[in-house]
Amino acid sequence: MREVARIQIGENLHPYSLNFDRTGTRALVACNTGAVVPVIDLATDTVIAKAETEIDGCRAIAFTPDNKYALATLERNNTIAVIDLGTYQVTRSIPTGPGPRGIAIDDADETLYVSAFARNTPFAPDDDHPQMAHSVTVLNIKNVDLADAGAAVPFEELPVGFGPCSVAVFNTEKAGCAADKIDTAVANLGTSVAS
């Protein structure tokens, strides 16, 4: 078993969560304060870079299937920062639902799921970005050039109820869960919410 290390990522950054890249060699830290995402080299337990974001309030990190980009939710400006893992630079921001917190990606079709928590987050939908609060924003990043700030990212939204904080993607066949039970539970949830 590996010895536990205490890694200094910087003062007053208030780590909220972290995630390991797909190689298992780096961890990126979502910090609630400080407009940076520290990158930790897990072989040396040291911070090797700090990706600068346009605002603080980072809540969660996911990685594209090819491990070229980290996707970081920025709750305070309702966007996802796309971080190039070769340069540790933000290549673009993708608008999402208000108060994004949780983020997960389905590797099979490169669909990104982001929870829109929306607590105390100013948000003014417009024609280009009419995302709704208390939903999960579903973004299709397949065939989207994440280095191109102007490349459109198709999206849709799923209303889920008040304050979704996280989201996960898993294969029900591998998790040993019967898909029909999930479908029944979702149908019953929709019924109980409507009543």
Side-chain angles (χ1 to χ4, degrees):
M1 177 178 248
R2 188 173 165 189
E3 185 177 319
V4 175
R6 184 175 297 264
I7 302 166
Q8 298 299 321
I9 61 168
E11 290 189 34
N12 301 316
L13 291 181
H14 302 274
Y16 188 83
S17 68
L18 67 80
N19 202 355
F20 302 100
D21 79 347
R22 292 175 182 268
T23 66
T25 60
R26 296 174 289 194
L28 275 70
V29 184
C31 296
N32 192 33
T33 58
V36 296
V37 174
V39 180
I40 299 170
D41 179 326
L42 296 174
T44 62
D45 292 333
T46 57
V47 174
I48 57 172
K50 289 183 180 175
E52 294 184 16
T53 58
E54 61 187 328
I55 195 167
D56 62 355
C58 187
R59 296 293 189 160
I61 311 274
F63 297 92
T64 56
D66 60 10
N67 205 48
K68 288 184 179 178
Y69 298 98
L71 307 166
T73 58
L74 297 176
E75 184 177 36
R76 291 187 177 94
N77 74 348
N78 313 313
T79 63
I80 300 164
V82 178
I83 301 168
D84 183 316
L85 291 176
T87 63
Y88 303 116
Q89 300 292 311
V90 173
T91 62
R92 67 177 296 174
S93 293
I94 301 172
T96 188
R101 285 204 177 178
I103 187 169
I105 189 165
D106 185 341
D107 291 352
D109 61 4
E110 296 186 51
T111 300
L112 189 64
Y113 299 89
V114 181
S115 61
F117 185 72
R119 181 181 66 195
N120 299 326
T121 303
F123 188 72
D126 58 30
D127 290 339
D128 293 327
H129 304 103
Q131 292 92 339
M132 68 175 81
H134 312 301
S135 65
V136 171
T137 306
V138 181
L139 304 109
N140 183 342
I141 61 169
K142 187 172 188 167
N143 302 320
V144 173
D145 181 358
L146 294 177
D148 180 359
V153 181
F155 74 92
E156 62 180 300
E157 294 166 294
L158 305 172
V160 295
F162 189 76
C165 199
S166 60
V167 63
V169 173
F170 62 94
N171 183 326
T172 56
E173 292 175 16
K174 290 183 179 179
C177 181
D180 62 324
K181 288 184 180 179
I182 293 175
D183 293 339
T184 301
V186 169
N188 288 341
L189 177 65
T191 303
S192 65
V193 169
S195 0

